[in-house]
Amino acid sequence: MANIIIPPAWQLKENASTTKAAYTNRRRFIKSLGLGGIALATGGLGCSRNAQSSNAPDPDGPLDTIPENAPRDGLPAERNPAYTVPERPVTERLVASSYNNFYEFINQGNLKRVWPHTGAYEAFPWTLQVRGRVEEDQTWDLSDLIRSMALEERVYRFRCVEAWSITVPWTGFSLSKLIERCKPLSSANYVAFTCVNRPNQLPGQRIATWYPWPYFEALRMDEAMNELAFVATGMYGEPLPKQNGSPLRLVLPWKYGYKGAKAIVRLQFTRNQPNTFWNELQPREYGFLSNVNPNIPHPRWSQASERFLPRENVEEQIPTQIFNGYDQWVAGLYPDEPRQPAGPIIR
Ligand code: MTE
């Protein structure tokens, strides 16, 4: 992102495991030996002790950060066969929850190692506000909202602007279904997303005061209503871990990952194009549309290929596809998107 260059060797300190049960048992065993602190200290960072308003224990590992009070109704949800990724494997869940971007939690050292700093953050209970150009303002309890939605699972490619990628099975519902409940007026041309603002629970909001908190993002209404646009409340058949955006986040698989706002508290429908977090910080590097496109290099690096992260300590360099492989869904939204190599263009 703005000041972050692609990190050098991608490495996980914790052992990977595909099932949470096996992983949790191992953690319990280490704890029972009293070795947890030693084992975790190998990561170079201690667990965050920033809790100021919470009794939540600091996490012992990347999969211990699923909030205990997250609703589990409807999990695991049935996989929607329309959204699969045939050409690459699903990334191991421990990998997807160990290598993250969530600047509200940045602390020191390895910025991708988000999970140790999530202990104080309480994702439930949660309210979601709907404001702006809508028939009426609404405020929902998120647990009630999740229970009222028919959850489904979709396997999507996920591509970060930093040129790494993963493949993730997300659980949630289409953004269009949520927007229908918001009852926007015909004058709503855009929808803006505001994320959580709790400096007492989020160390990054205390430390990185140069960022314009809270994180904010936005979409055109036709993008938001596209059937690919997804609200994730879970992944790998369970509720979202905190570092992956608990309690709810956007997943927009044809766009760079930073468009997928995490821990959203408000949807605001507007007539004019809203500003976005990274665009405000670095307008010459991060545009409003930010569609995945191998033909448009980032001003500081190529976007023609990406480091796919399937497993612990494994990286594969693979070519990047236009719209991240979702051409058939979204090409009609972007007639001007270059199909041949171009210079840096910020859209
Ligand atoms: N949302 C919030 N609120 N704060 C963030 O820092 N980072 C973005 C996006 N959503 C971010 C955010 C970026 S840069 C990326 S690549 C993805 O979240 C990372 O999602 P992941 O960590 O679950 O892979």
Side-chain angles (χ1 to χ4, degrees):
M1 302 310 306
N3 302 307
I4 313 296
I5 314 293
I6 302 172
W10 176 78
Q11 233 181 358
L12 278 172
K13 301 294 181 190
E14 292 287 304
N15 281 342
S17 161
T18 45
T19 71
K20 186 176 181 200
Y23 169 82
T24 307
N25 285 340
R26 179 180 151 267
R27 302 296 316 173
R28 280 206 195 103
F29 177 67
I30 291 171
K31 261 186 166 175
S32 73
L33 295 176
L35 299 176
I38 297 168
L40 290 167
T42 58
L45 281 175
C47 285
S48 165
R49 299 285 164 193
N50 285 317
Q52 292 188 355
S53 69
S54 161
N55 295 322
D58 285 347
D60 281 341
L63 302 183
D64 296 323
T65 60
I66 297 174
E68 288 193 349
N69 51 353
R72 286 177 173 266
D73 313 56
L75 296 177
E78 201 171 319
R79 185 168 290 183
N80 186 334
Y83 306 102
T84 56
V85 180
E87 81 283 7
R88 30 183 124 155
V90 167
T91 295
E92 280 187 0
R93 63 185 302 211
L94 194 52
V95 171
S97 292
S98 304
Y99 188 82
N100 297 102
N101 274 334
F102 204 162
Y103 285 74
E104 286 86 336
F105 290 106
I106 61 172
N107 200 320
Q108 55 186 347
N110 182 351
L111 299 183
K112 305 294 181 201
R113 197 171 149 86
V114 171
W115 63 264
H117 310 293
T118 59
Y121 173 54
E122 292 175 343
F124 290 93
W126 191 268
T127 48
L128 185 62
Q129 296 182 337
V130 179
R131 298 288 186 269
R133 292 181 176 270
V134 286
E135 284 180 20
E136 55 177 353
D137 291 355
Q138 299 191 69
T139 302
W140 295 311
D141 172 75
L142 185 69
S143 295
D144 291 345
L145 181 73
I146 293 173
R147 290 190 186 105
S148 73
M149 288 288 189
L151 299 180
E152 60 176 287
E153 182 176 80
R154 297 184 181 186
V155 181
Y156 277 162
R157 300 176 197 92
F158 182 96
R159 171 64 153 79
C160 177
V161 73
E162 296 161 338
W164 55 267
S165 65
I166 50 181
T167 302
V168 178
W170 302 101
T171 305
F173 43 86
S174 61
L175 178 60
S176 63
K177 285 200 181 123
L178 183 64
I179 289 180
E180 278 162 24
R181 292 195 186 194
C182 297
K183 301 191 186 132
L185 302 175
S186 57
S187 59
N189 299 324
Y190 296 87
V191 53
F193 305 89
T194 307
C195 300
V196 62
N197 192 24
R198 296 185 194 164
N200 61 335
Q201 296 183 6
L202 304 166
Q205 290 188 337
R206 295 196 297 277
I207 295 164
T209 50
W210 56 91
Y211 287 129
W213 303 115
Y215 196 94
F216 51 104
E217 256 303 336
L219 295 169
R220 286 187 338 217
M221 280 296 274
D222 59 349
E223 299 180 302
M225 295 302 285
N226 186 278
E227 61 180 300
L228 280 181
F230 199 61
V231 178
T233 56
M235 62 196 292
Y236 297 87
E238 292 208 64
L240 286 176
K242 292 179 185 177
Q243 65 274 22
N244 291 105
S246 179
L248 82 165
R249 65 171 298 165
L250 284 180
V251 185
L252 309 162
W254 73 100
K255 290 183 177 287
Y256 291 120
Y258 63 87
K259 295 291 293 182
K262 294 170 162 178
I264 297 164
V265 296
R266 188 168 63 247
L267 276 69
Q268 175 104 19
F269 292 84
T270 66
R271 183 192 293 276
N272 299 321
Q273 181 174 306
N275 208 349
T276 60
F277 185 87
W278 289 108
N279 183 252
E280 184 169 309
L281 281 161
Q282 293 272 18
R284 288 165 6 116
E285 300 200 350
Y286 305 107
F288 180 84
L289 291 182
S290 292
N291 297 317
V292 176
N293 190 332
N295 302 312
I296 308 178
H298 184 277
R300 288 187 278 134
W301 58 82
S302 166
Q303 295 290 20
S305 67
E306 62 204 50
R307 292 183 303 126
F308 178 56
L309 312 178
R311 297 189 301 283
E312 181 186 18
N313 295 329
V314 174
E315 294 183 18
E316 292 166 16
Q317 201 69 25
I318 57 174
T320 293
Q321 304 177 63
I322 189 152
F323 301 124
N324 207 19
Y326 296 99
D327 203 11
Q328 69 181 100
W329 279 271
V330 297
L333 296 176
Y334 312 108
D336 299 334
E337 200 83 14
R339 299 278 168 165
Q340 300 297 328
I345 306 169
I346 303 306
R347 295 173 186 280

